[in-house]
Amino acid sequence: MEEKADGTRIIRRTAWSDFAAGLKPGPERYAERLTDPAVDIDGDIAMVWSPYVFTIDGRVAHCGTDHFDMVRDAGRWKILNITWSKRTTGCPAQ
């Protein structure tokens, strides 16, 4: 969920193929830092919840919370779903 400066919220649903197609290399350096992740596991399912800060060329671009749904398949953890919030105000400094 993304919150615009005027307080309105946008919810988008994107297929994996569309999301991956939108990732194009360029001259910018992107980095996402997860802070204080919480991990809950029950058998072969898990959830990871963590605040994050996303930077472009070392400058904070936005922040929010990431949520990953995970499943263990043949002994390996795989991401089933990713949900995140996004805001450009109130982000912690790098």
Side-chain angles (χ1 to χ4, degrees):
M1 183 180 321
E2 180 177 346
E3 188 166 325
K4 295 167 72 175
D6 66 1
T8 58
R9 295 182 179 179
I10 300 169
I11 298 174
R12 295 185 184 132
R13 185 176 187 136
T14 306
W16 282 106
S17 57
D18 294 337
F19 179 77
L23 301 175
K24 305 222 185 282
E28 302 88 358
R29 259 189 53 233
Y30 297 109
E32 181 173 1
R33 182 174 51 91
L34 301 182
T35 59
D36 197 27
V39 179
D40 288 321
I41 301 172
D42 186 11
D44 290 329
I45 65 169
M47 179 208 65
V48 178
W49 176 280
S50 181
Y52 76 87
V53 177
F54 190 88
T55 61
I56 301 173
D57 292 331
R59 292 185 308 270
V60 173
H62 63 270
C63 60
T65 299
D66 284 338
H67 168 258
F68 302 89
D69 290 318
M70 312 283 292
V71 295
R72 187 169 24 210
D73 181 32
R76 297 181 56 141
W77 286 104
K78 298 180 180 181
I79 297 171
L80 180 66
N81 182 60
I82 301 174
T83 307
W84 66 90
S85 63
K86 178 180 174 184
R87 65 181 174 278
T88 56
T89 60
C91 297
Q94 257 319 72

